[in-house]
Amino acid sequence: MAGHFEATPGGGAAVALDEVEIAILRSLAVQLLELIGPGDEPADGEDPLAALFAEGPSEPPTDPALARLFPEAYGDEDSELRAASAEFRRFTENDLRTRKRDDALTVVRTLDALPSGAEGAVLALSADECRNWLGALNDLRLTIGTRLDVSDEDEGGEGSLYRLPDSDPRKPMVMAYLWLGALQETLVETLMP
């Protein structure tokens, strides 16, 4: 089980993680939460239903990683499509941010629930937690890939990511990106019928 997810009864999955892997995953999830930003919780005395009808932003994020996590719905080739994208974003981005935040929080909470020890632990996830983890792993890879300027040819195994010298300052993030991809792939495989 070391290094990859395996299916568990009830539609869940489990993976053995050492202390370093746990720390890296937790740190990346916390950084993702910081990037996504805080949620809009109703203030005391405020109608919680009002939050359901709150409008979100109509402009795309300027940060390239956030723009990748919250892309334009219809592109931006002409003014009609830009207007339609703005309208779509206004009514969907808050919910999408909430889902991405919930996914990352699930990663942090499940890792925090593990017993601490020098050898690490086995992380066992329920079926619902697996879906949250898949979302968070995808968001982490999108974010890191954007920061690294990953292209399709880099993904193919012969790309430049696999040939970076150890002295390249991007090497640790590239290794994290590739490791997250392997985790994501094995988690998807465990959930396949």
mmCIF file of all heavy atoms in Angstrom, residues 68-112:
data_model
loop_
_atom_site.group_PDB
_atom_site.id
_atom_site.type_symbol
_atom_site.label_atom_id
_atom_site.label_comp_id
_atom_site.label_asym_id
_atom_site.label_seq_id
_atom_site.Cartn_x
_atom_site.Cartn_y
_atom_site.Cartn_z
ATOM 1 N N ARG A 68 -6.939 29.544 -13.184
ATOM 2 C CA ARG A 68 -7.001 28.137 -13.603
ATOM 3 C C ARG A 68 -8.026 27.366 -12.769
ATOM 4 O O ARG A 68 -8.726 26.498 -13.273
ATOM 5 C CB ARG A 68 -5.607 27.507 -13.454
ATOM 6 C CG ARG A 68 -5.534 26.097 -13.955
ATOM 7 C CD ARG A 68 -5.602 26.068 -15.480
ATOM 8 N NE ARG A 68 -5.419 24.733 -15.972
ATOM 9 C CZ ARG A 68 -6.443 23.949 -16.378
ATOM 10 N NH1 ARG A 68 -7.671 24.392 -16.375
ATOM 11 N NH2 ARG A 68 -6.194 22.728 -16.799
ATOM 12 N N LEU A 69 -8.127 27.704 -11.482
ATOM 13 C CA LEU A 69 -9.105 27.042 -10.618
ATOM 14 C C LEU A 69 -10.530 27.529 -10.894
ATOM 15 O O LEU A 69 -11.492 26.796 -10.688
ATOM 16 C CB LEU A 69 -8.764 27.287 -9.145
ATOM 17 C CG LEU A 69 -7.496 26.629 -8.617
ATOM 18 C CD1 LEU A 69 -7.227 27.064 -7.186
ATOM 19 C CD2 LEU A 69 -7.586 25.113 -8.709
ATOM 20 N N PHE A 70 -10.653 28.782 -11.327
ATOM 21 C CA PHE A 70 -11.968 29.387 -11.599
ATOM 22 C C PHE A 70 -11.955 29.971 -13.011
ATOM 23 O O PHE A 70 -11.965 31.189 -13.202
ATOM 24 C CB PHE A 70 -12.281 30.472 -10.564
ATOM 25 C CG PHE A 70 -12.188 29.983 -9.148
ATOM 26 C CD1 PHE A 70 -11.104 30.311 -8.355
ATOM 27 C CD2 PHE A 70 -13.179 29.175 -8.615
ATOM 28 C CE1 PHE A 70 -11.004 29.843 -7.048
ATOM 29 C CE2 PHE A 70 -13.081 28.697 -7.316
ATOM 30 C CZ PHE A 70 -12.001 29.034 -6.537
ATOM 31 N N PRO A 71 -11.939 29.091 -14.031
ATOM 32 C CA PRO A 71 -11.768 29.560 -15.411
ATOM 33 C C PRO A 71 -13.012 30.249 -15.966
ATOM 34 O O PRO A 71 -14.110 30.151 -15.408
ATOM 35 C CB PRO A 71 -11.485 28.264 -16.172
ATOM 36 C CG PRO A 71 -12.183 27.215 -15.379
ATOM 37 C CD PRO A 71 -12.067 27.647 -13.934
ATOM 38 N N GLU A 72 -12.819 30.919 -17.080
ATOM 39 C CA GLU A 72 -13.933 31.530 -17.805
ATOM 40 C C GLU A 72 -14.831 30.418 -18.346
ATOM 41 O O GLU A 72 -14.347 29.407 -18.833
ATOM 42 C CB GLU A 72 -13.410 32.387 -18.973
ATOM 43 C CG GLU A 72 -12.723 33.646 -18.547
ATOM 44 C CD GLU A 72 -13.700 34.673 -17.989
ATOM 45 O OE1 GLU A 72 -14.923 34.551 -18.155
ATOM 46 O OE2 GLU A 72 -13.211 35.614 -17.360
ATOM 47 N N ALA A 73 -16.117 30.639 -18.276
ATOM 48 C CA ALA A 73 -17.067 29.619 -18.736
ATOM 49 C C ALA A 73 -17.136 29.545 -20.260
ATOM 50 O O ALA A 73 -17.274 28.472 -20.825
ATOM 51 C CB ALA A 73 -18.451 29.907 -18.174
ATOM 52 N N TYR A 74 -17.053 30.687 -20.921
ATOM 53 C CA TYR A 74 -17.275 30.714 -22.361
ATOM 54 C C TYR A 74 -16.130 31.333 -23.148
ATOM 55 O O TYR A 74 -16.287 31.671 -24.295
ATOM 56 C CB TYR A 74 -18.563 31.497 -22.674
ATOM 57 C CG TYR A 74 -19.753 30.961 -21.943
ATOM 58 C CD1 TYR A 74 -20.332 31.683 -20.907
ATOM 59 C CD2 TYR A 74 -20.291 29.725 -22.269
ATOM 60 C CE1 TYR A 74 -21.427 31.188 -20.228
ATOM 61 C CE2 TYR A 74 -21.389 29.220 -21.590
ATOM 62 C CZ TYR A 74 -21.942 29.961 -20.573
ATOM 63 O OH TYR A 74 -23.024 29.471 -19.905
ATOM 64 N N GLY A 75 -14.989 31.510 -22.550
ATOM 65 C CA GLY A 75 -13.885 32.160 -23.254
ATOM 66 C C GLY A 75 -14.078 33.663 -23.261
ATOM 67 O O GLY A 75 -15.000 34.197 -22.658
ATOM 68 N N ASP A 76 -13.206 34.341 -23.959
ATOM 69 C CA ASP A 76 -13.305 35.799 -23.983
ATOM 70 C C ASP A 76 -13.063 36.368 -25.376
ATOM 71 O O ASP A 76 -12.535 37.451 -25.537
ATOM 72 C CB ASP A 76 -12.342 36.422 -22.973
ATOM 73 C CG ASP A 76 -10.896 36.054 -23.249
ATOM 74 O OD1 ASP A 76 -10.627 35.310 -24.209
ATOM 75 O OD2 ASP A 76 -10.035 36.528 -22.505
ATOM 76 N N GLU A 77 -13.478 35.614 -26.388
ATOM 77 C CA GLU A 77 -13.229 36.047 -27.751
ATOM 78 C C GLU A 77 -14.016 37.294 -28.145
ATOM 79 O O GLU A 77 -13.534 38.134 -28.860
ATOM 80 C CB GLU A 77 -13.553 34.919 -28.763
ATOM 81 C CG GLU A 77 -12.602 33.747 -28.694
ATOM 82 C CD GLU A 77 -12.931 32.807 -27.544
ATOM 83 O OE1 GLU A 77 -14.116 32.607 -27.226
ATOM 84 O OE2 GLU A 77 -11.984 32.287 -26.938
ATOM 85 N N ASP A 78 -15.248 37.399 -27.702
ATOM 86 C CA ASP A 78 -16.034 38.576 -28.060
ATOM 87 C C ASP A 78 -16.805 39.085 -26.848
ATOM 88 O O ASP A 78 -16.875 38.431 -25.813
ATOM 89 C CB ASP A 78 -16.972 38.290 -29.243
ATOM 90 C CG ASP A 78 -18.029 37.236 -28.937
ATOM 91 O OD1 ASP A 78 -18.609 37.262 -27.834
ATOM 92 O OD2 ASP A 78 -18.284 36.385 -29.812
ATOM 93 N N SER A 79 -17.388 40.238 -27.005
ATOM 94 C CA SER A 79 -18.038 40.890 -25.865
ATOM 95 C C SER A 79 -19.258 40.121 -25.365
ATOM 96 O O SER A 79 -19.539 40.123 -24.172
ATOM 97 C CB SER A 79 -18.415 42.324 -26.221
ATOM 98 O OG SER A 79 -19.335 42.339 -27.292
ATOM 99 N N GLU A 80 -19.991 39.455 -26.257
ATOM 100 C CA GLU A 80 -21.156 38.674 -25.814
ATOM 101 C C GLU A 80 -20.721 37.499 -24.940
ATOM 102 O O GLU A 80 -21.350 37.200 -23.927
ATOM 103 C CB GLU A 80 -21.960 38.174 -27.010
ATOM 104 C CG GLU A 80 -22.808 39.243 -27.650
ATOM 105 C CD GLU A 80 -23.662 38.687 -28.754
ATOM 106 O OE1 GLU A 80 -24.134 37.524 -28.644
ATOM 107 O OE2 GLU A 80 -23.860 39.419 -29.730
ATOM 108 N N LEU A 81 -19.662 36.823 -25.352
ATOM 109 C CA LEU A 81 -19.163 35.700 -24.550
ATOM 110 C C LEU A 81 -18.586 36.184 -23.230
ATOM 111 O O LEU A 81 -18.743 35.536 -22.205
ATOM 112 C CB LEU A 81 -18.116 34.903 -25.324
ATOM 113 C CG LEU A 81 -18.643 34.071 -26.491
ATOM 114 C CD1 LEU A 81 -17.487 33.365 -27.197
ATOM 115 C CD2 LEU A 81 -19.671 33.066 -26.034
ATOM 116 N N ARG A 82 -17.901 37.321 -23.235
ATOM 117 C CA ARG A 82 -17.380 37.881 -21.989
ATOM 118 C C ARG A 82 -18.521 38.213 -21.039
ATOM 119 O O ARG A 82 -18.441 37.952 -19.839
ATOM 120 C CB ARG A 82 -16.530 39.123 -22.259
ATOM 121 C CG ARG A 82 -15.101 38.806 -22.640
ATOM 122 C CD ARG A 82 -14.211 40.023 -22.578
ATOM 123 N NE ARG A 82 -14.653 41.108 -23.413
ATOM 124 C CZ ARG A 82 -14.342 41.264 -24.697
ATOM 125 N NH1 ARG A 82 -13.584 40.386 -25.286
ATOM 126 N NH2 ARG A 82 -14.804 42.291 -25.379
ATOM 127 N N ALA A 83 -19.597 38.763 -21.560
ATOM 128 C CA ALA A 83 -20.753 39.112 -20.723
ATOM 129 C C ALA A 83 -21.406 37.844 -20.166
ATOM 130 O O ALA A 83 -21.791 37.800 -18.989
ATOM 131 C CB ALA A 83 -21.758 39.932 -21.512
ATOM 132 N N ALA A 84 -21.515 36.820 -20.997
ATOM 133 C CA ALA A 84 -22.110 35.561 -20.541
ATOM 134 C C ALA A 84 -21.223 34.909 -19.485
ATOM 135 O O ALA A 84 -21.725 34.367 -18.494
ATOM 136 C CB ALA A 84 -22.325 34.613 -21.716
ATOM 137 N N SER A 85 -19.901 34.961 -19.667
ATOM 138 C CA SER A 85 -18.975 34.413 -18.676
ATOM 139 C C SER A 85 -19.079 35.162 -17.357
ATOM 140 O O SER A 85 -19.057 34.558 -16.286
ATOM 141 C CB SER A 85 -17.527 34.484 -19.178
ATOM 142 O OG SER A 85 -17.266 33.449 -20.075
ATOM 143 N N ALA A 86 -19.182 36.480 -17.437
ATOM 144 C CA ALA A 86 -19.299 37.290 -16.217
ATOM 145 C C ALA A 86 -20.573 36.936 -15.467
ATOM 146 O O ALA A 86 -20.568 36.797 -14.242
ATOM 147 C CB ALA A 86 -19.274 38.781 -16.563
ATOM 148 N N GLU A 87 -21.658 36.775 -16.193
ATOM 149 C CA GLU A 87 -22.942 36.424 -15.564
ATOM 150 C C GLU A 87 -22.869 35.035 -14.934
ATOM 151 O O GLU A 87 -23.325 34.815 -13.813
ATOM 152 C CB GLU A 87 -24.052 36.483 -16.621
ATOM 153 C CG GLU A 87 -25.435 36.368 -16.062
ATOM 154 C CD GLU A 87 -25.905 37.633 -15.349
ATOM 155 O OE1 GLU A 87 -25.174 38.638 -15.299
ATOM 156 O OE2 GLU A 87 -27.015 37.587 -14.826
ATOM 157 N N PHE A 88 -22.286 34.088 -15.650
ATOM 158 C CA PHE A 88 -22.139 32.733 -15.134
ATOM 159 C C PHE A 88 -21.280 32.733 -13.868
ATOM 160 O O PHE A 88 -21.628 32.115 -12.865
ATOM 161 C CB PHE A 88 -21.518 31.835 -16.208
ATOM 162 C CG PHE A 88 -21.424 30.392 -15.814
ATOM 163 C CD1 PHE A 88 -22.535 29.568 -15.874
ATOM 164 C CD2 PHE A 88 -20.223 29.854 -15.377
ATOM 165 C CE1 PHE A 88 -22.457 28.229 -15.506
ATOM 166 C CE2 PHE A 88 -20.135 28.526 -15.005
ATOM 167 C CZ PHE A 88 -21.252 27.714 -15.076
ATOM 168 N N ARG A 89 -20.148 33.436 -13.913
ATOM 169 C CA ARG A 89 -19.245 33.518 -12.766
ATOM 170 C C ARG A 89 -19.953 34.123 -11.562
ATOM 171 O O ARG A 89 -19.799 33.669 -10.435
ATOM 172 C CB ARG A 89 -18.016 34.354 -13.135
ATOM 173 C CG ARG A 89 -17.032 34.530 -11.992
ATOM 174 C CD ARG A 89 -15.832 35.365 -12.406
ATOM 175 N NE ARG A 89 -15.092 34.783 -13.502
ATOM 176 C CZ ARG A 89 -14.238 33.767 -13.383
ATOM 177 N NH1 ARG A 89 -14.006 33.233 -12.208
ATOM 178 N NH2 ARG A 89 -13.608 33.293 -14.433
ATOM 179 N N ARG A 90 -20.740 35.151 -11.803
ATOM 180 C CA ARG A 90 -21.419 35.859 -10.717
ATOM 181 C C ARG A 90 -22.309 34.922 -9.900
ATOM 182 O O ARG A 90 -22.445 35.070 -8.693
ATOM 183 C CB ARG A 90 -22.245 37.000 -11.322
ATOM 184 C CG ARG A 90 -22.716 38.023 -10.355
ATOM 185 C CD ARG A 90 -23.155 39.279 -11.089
ATOM 186 N NE ARG A 90 -24.223 39.045 -12.028
ATOM 187 C CZ ARG A 90 -25.488 39.379 -11.811
ATOM 188 N NH1 ARG A 90 -25.821 39.960 -10.686
ATOM 189 N NH2 ARG A 90 -26.401 39.146 -12.708
ATOM 190 N N PHE A 91 -22.900 33.923 -10.573
ATOM 191 C CA PHE A 91 -23.835 33.033 -9.884
ATOM 192 C C PHE A 91 -23.257 31.674 -9.521
ATOM 193 O O PHE A 91 -23.932 30.871 -8.890
ATOM 194 C CB PHE A 91 -25.100 32.841 -10.723
ATOM 195 C CG PHE A 91 -25.907 34.103 -10.816
ATOM 196 C CD1 PHE A 91 -25.986 34.802 -12.006
ATOM 197 C CD2 PHE A 91 -26.564 34.605 -9.704
ATOM 198 C CE1 PHE A 91 -26.722 35.977 -12.092
ATOM 199 C CE2 PHE A 91 -27.297 35.773 -9.773
ATOM 200 C CZ PHE A 91 -27.372 36.468 -10.974
ATOM 201 N N THR A 92 -22.015 31.394 -9.927
ATOM 202 C CA THR A 92 -21.463 30.061 -9.645
ATOM 203 C C THR A 92 -20.163 30.064 -8.854
ATOM 204 O O THR A 92 -19.847 29.078 -8.198
ATOM 205 C CB THR A 92 -21.216 29.276 -10.950
ATOM 206 O OG1 THR A 92 -20.269 29.994 -11.754
ATOM 207 C CG2 THR A 92 -22.511 29.042 -11.706
ATOM 208 N N GLU A 93 -19.381 31.131 -8.922
ATOM 209 C CA GLU A 93 -18.044 31.086 -8.318
ATOM 210 C C GLU A 93 -18.077 30.909 -6.807
ATOM 211 O O GLU A 93 -17.242 30.179 -6.254
ATOM 212 C CB GLU A 93 -17.217 32.320 -8.682
ATOM 213 C CG GLU A 93 -15.791 32.168 -8.189
ATOM 214 C CD GLU A 93 -14.849 33.227 -8.693
ATOM 215 O OE1 GLU A 93 -14.862 33.524 -9.904
ATOM 216 O OE2 GLU A 93 -14.089 33.748 -7.861
ATOM 217 N N ASN A 94 -19.022 31.519 -6.122
ATOM 218 C CA ASN A 94 -19.072 31.349 -4.663
ATOM 219 C C ASN A 94 -19.268 29.889 -4.289
ATOM 220 O O ASN A 94 -18.606 29.380 -3.378
ATOM 221 C CB ASN A 94 -20.180 32.209 -4.047
ATOM 222 C CG ASN A 94 -19.813 33.681 -4.000
ATOM 223 O OD1 ASN A 94 -18.663 34.056 -4.186
ATOM 224 N ND2 ASN A 94 -20.812 34.512 -3.765
ATOM 225 N N ASP A 95 -20.162 29.198 -4.983
ATOM 226 C CA ASP A 95 -20.387 27.773 -4.699
ATOM 227 C C ASP A 95 -19.158 26.937 -5.048
ATOM 228 O O ASP A 95 -18.808 26.001 -4.316
ATOM 229 C CB ASP A 95 -21.597 27.249 -5.470
ATOM 230 C CG ASP A 95 -22.909 27.779 -4.931
ATOM 231 O OD1 ASP A 95 -22.943 28.226 -3.766
ATOM 232 O OD2 ASP A 95 -23.902 27.745 -5.678
ATOM 233 N N LEU A 96 -18.512 27.262 -6.158
ATOM 234 C CA LEU A 96 -17.310 26.534 -6.550
ATOM 235 C C LEU A 96 -16.191 26.746 -5.533
ATOM 236 O O LEU A 96 -15.500 25.800 -5.147
ATOM 237 C CB LEU A 96 -16.857 26.980 -7.945
ATOM 238 C CG LEU A 96 -15.688 26.230 -8.566
ATOM 239 C CD1 LEU A 96 -15.965 24.737 -8.631
ATOM 240 C CD2 LEU A 96 -15.399 26.790 -9.954
ATOM 241 N N ARG A 97 -16.048 27.968 -5.049
ATOM 242 C CA ARG A 97 -15.043 28.244 -4.010
ATOM 243 C C ARG A 97 -15.358 27.449 -2.740
ATOM 244 O O ARG A 97 -14.455 26.908 -2.100
ATOM 245 C CB ARG A 97 -14.984 29.735 -3.688
ATOM 246 C CG ARG A 97 -14.178 30.543 -4.655
ATOM 247 C CD ARG A 97 -14.096 32.008 -4.245
ATOM 248 N NE ARG A 97 -13.433 32.771 -5.274
ATOM 249 C CZ ARG A 97 -12.123 32.996 -5.311
ATOM 250 N NH1 ARG A 97 -11.354 32.524 -4.347
ATOM 251 N NH2 ARG A 97 -11.587 33.692 -6.279
ATOM 252 N N THR A 98 -16.632 27.395 -2.370
ATOM 253 C CA THR A 98 -17.028 26.647 -1.168
ATOM 254 C C THR A 98 -16.675 25.172 -1.327
ATOM 255 O O THR A 98 -16.143 24.553 -0.401
ATOM 256 C CB THR A 98 -18.530 26.825 -0.900
ATOM 257 O OG1 THR A 98 -18.787 28.209 -0.653
ATOM 258 C CG2 THR A 98 -18.997 25.991 0.274
ATOM 259 N N ARG A 99 -16.964 24.600 -2.494
ATOM 260 C CA ARG A 99 -16.647 23.187 -2.715
ATOM 261 C C ARG A 99 -15.150 22.944 -2.657
ATOM 262 O O ARG A 99 -14.679 21.991 -2.027
ATOM 263 C CB ARG A 99 -17.198 22.708 -4.050
ATOM 264 C CG ARG A 99 -17.190 21.175 -4.123
ATOM 265 C CD ARG A 99 -17.352 20.601 -5.489
ATOM 266 N NE ARG A 99 -16.033 20.575 -6.087
ATOM 267 C CZ ARG A 99 -15.752 21.031 -7.293
ATOM 268 N NH1 ARG A 99 -16.662 21.548 -8.045
ATOM 269 N NH2 ARG A 99 -14.528 20.962 -7.764
ATOM 270 N N LYS A 100 -14.364 23.804 -3.288
ATOM 271 C CA LYS A 100 -12.914 23.640 -3.281
ATOM 272 C C LYS A 100 -12.357 23.811 -1.861
ATOM 273 O O LYS A 100 -11.445 23.099 -1.452
ATOM 274 C CB LYS A 100 -12.256 24.628 -4.249
ATOM 275 C CG LYS A 100 -12.529 24.293 -5.708
ATOM 276 C CD LYS A 100 -11.904 25.294 -6.638
ATOM 277 C CE LYS A 100 -12.165 24.965 -8.089
ATOM 278 N NZ LYS A 100 -11.671 23.659 -8.519
ATOM 279 N N ARG A 101 -12.934 24.731 -1.114
ATOM 280 C CA ARG A 101 -12.522 24.941 0.278
ATOM 281 C C ARG A 101 -12.860 23.708 1.112
ATOM 282 O O ARG A 101 -12.039 23.239 1.899
ATOM 283 C CB ARG A 101 -13.224 26.182 0.839
ATOM 284 C CG ARG A 101 -12.655 26.708 2.120
ATOM 285 C CD ARG A 101 -13.332 27.998 2.565
ATOM 286 N NE ARG A 101 -13.210 29.071 1.600
ATOM 287 C CZ ARG A 101 -14.199 29.524 0.813
ATOM 288 N NH1 ARG A 101 -15.412 29.028 0.914
ATOM 289 N NH2 ARG A 101 -13.988 30.490 -0.051
ATOM 290 N N ASP A 102 -14.056 23.148 0.916
ATOM 291 C CA ASP A 102 -14.461 21.938 1.648
ATOM 292 C C ASP A 102 -13.541 20.764 1.320
ATOM 293 O O ASP A 102 -13.184 19.981 2.208
ATOM 294 C CB ASP A 102 -15.905 21.565 1.326
ATOM 295 C CG ASP A 102 -16.922 22.520 1.925
ATOM 296 O OD1 ASP A 102 -16.558 23.323 2.813
ATOM 297 O OD2 ASP A 102 -18.092 22.477 1.487
ATOM 298 N N ASP A 103 -13.153 20.636 0.049
ATOM 299 C CA ASP A 103 -12.246 19.557 -0.342
ATOM 300 C C ASP A 103 -10.905 19.683 0.373
ATOM 301 O O ASP A 103 -10.395 18.720 0.942
ATOM 302 C CB ASP A 103 -12.024 19.557 -1.864
ATOM 303 C CG ASP A 103 -13.252 19.138 -2.655
ATOM 304 O OD1 ASP A 103 -14.215 18.591 -2.062
ATOM 305 O OD2 ASP A 103 -13.254 19.377 -3.884
ATOM 306 N N ALA A 104 -10.340 20.891 0.359
ATOM 307 C CA ALA A 104 -9.044 21.102 1.007
ATOM 308 C C ALA A 104 -9.144 20.926 2.525
ATOM 309 O O ALA A 104 -8.237 20.370 3.156
ATOM 310 C CB ALA A 104 -8.490 22.485 0.660
ATOM 311 N N LEU A 105 -10.249 21.382 3.116
ATOM 312 C CA LEU A 105 -10.444 21.202 4.559
ATOM 313 C C LEU A 105 -10.544 19.723 4.925
ATOM 314 O O LEU A 105 -10.051 19.305 5.980
ATOM 315 C CB LEU A 105 -11.694 21.943 5.034
ATOM 316 C CG LEU A 105 -11.531 23.437 5.258
ATOM 317 C CD1 LEU A 105 -12.890 24.097 5.491
ATOM 318 C CD2 LEU A 105 -10.593 23.722 6.417
ATOM 319 N N THR A 106 -11.161 18.929 4.070
ATOM 320 C CA THR A 106 -11.242 17.487 4.318
ATOM 321 C C THR A 106 -9.851 16.874 4.345
ATOM 322 O O THR A 106 -9.551 16.018 5.190
ATOM 323 C CB THR A 106 -12.134 16.804 3.264
ATOM 324 O OG1 THR A 106 -13.454 17.320 3.376
ATOM 325 C CG2 THR A 106 -12.148 15.287 3.443
ATOM 326 N N VAL A 107 -8.982 17.310 3.439
ATOM 327 C CA VAL A 107 -7.600 16.814 3.435
ATOM 328 C C VAL A 107 -6.927 17.147 4.764
ATOM 329 O O VAL A 107 -6.349 16.278 5.416
ATOM 330 C CB VAL A 107 -6.802 17.395 2.246
ATOM 331 C CG1 VAL A 107 -5.314 17.084 2.379
ATOM 332 C CG2 VAL A 107 -7.343 16.858 0.933
ATOM 333 N N VAL A 108 -7.028 18.398 5.191
ATOM 334 C CA VAL A 108 -6.394 18.818 6.447
ATOM 335 C C VAL A 108 -6.970 18.038 7.619
ATOM 336 O O VAL A 108 -6.217 17.511 8.457
ATOM 337 C CB VAL A 108 -6.551 20.341 6.661
ATOM 338 C CG1 VAL A 108 -6.078 20.754 8.049
ATOM 339 C CG2 VAL A 108 -5.795 21.113 5.583
ATOM 340 N N ARG A 109 -8.273 17.942 7.680
ATOM 341 C CA ARG A 109 -8.906 17.272 8.832
ATOM 342 C C ARG A 109 -8.586 15.782 8.887
ATOM 343 O O ARG A 109 -8.350 15.240 9.972
ATOM 344 C CB ARG A 109 -10.415 17.492 8.786
ATOM 345 C CG ARG A 109 -10.793 18.918 9.139
ATOM 346 C CD ARG A 109 -12.276 19.154 9.036
ATOM 347 N NE ARG A 109 -12.585 20.535 9.371
ATOM 348 C CZ ARG A 109 -13.499 21.263 8.763
ATOM 349 N NH1 ARG A 109 -14.227 20.738 7.792
ATOM 350 N NH2 ARG A 109 -13.698 22.510 9.116
ATOM 351 N N THR A 110 -8.581 15.108 7.745
ATOM 352 C CA THR A 110 -8.281 13.668 7.759
ATOM 353 C C THR A 110 -6.818 13.430 8.109
ATOM 354 O O THR A 110 -6.495 12.462 8.810
ATOM 355 C CB THR A 110 -8.640 12.989 6.421
ATOM 356 O OG1 THR A 110 -7.977 13.665 5.343
ATOM 357 C CG2 THR A 110 -10.146 12.975 6.187
ATOM 358 N N LEU A 111 -5.938 14.303 7.664
ATOM 359 C CA LEU A 111 -4.528 14.165 8.035
ATOM 360 C C LEU A 111 -4.321 14.476 9.508
ATOM 361 O O LEU A 111 -3.541 13.800 10.185
ATOM 362 C CB LEU A 111 -3.661 15.085 7.175
ATOM 363 C CG LEU A 111 -3.557 14.712 5.698
ATOM 364 C CD1 LEU A 111 -2.830 15.802 4.921
ATOM 365 C CD2 LEU A 111 -2.874 13.360 5.507
ATOM 366 N N ASP A 112 -5.019 15.486 10.017
ATOM 367 C CA ASP A 112 -4.890 15.836 11.437
ATOM 368 C C ASP A 112 -5.431 14.743 12.352
ATOM 369 O O ASP A 112 -5.018 14.645 13.507
ATOM 370 C CB ASP A 112 -5.612 17.158 11.739
ATOM 371 C CG ASP A 112 -4.843 18.369 11.225
ATOM 372 O OD1 ASP A 112 -3.683 18.215 10.788
ATOM 373 O OD2 ASP A 112 -5.419 19.477 11.254
#
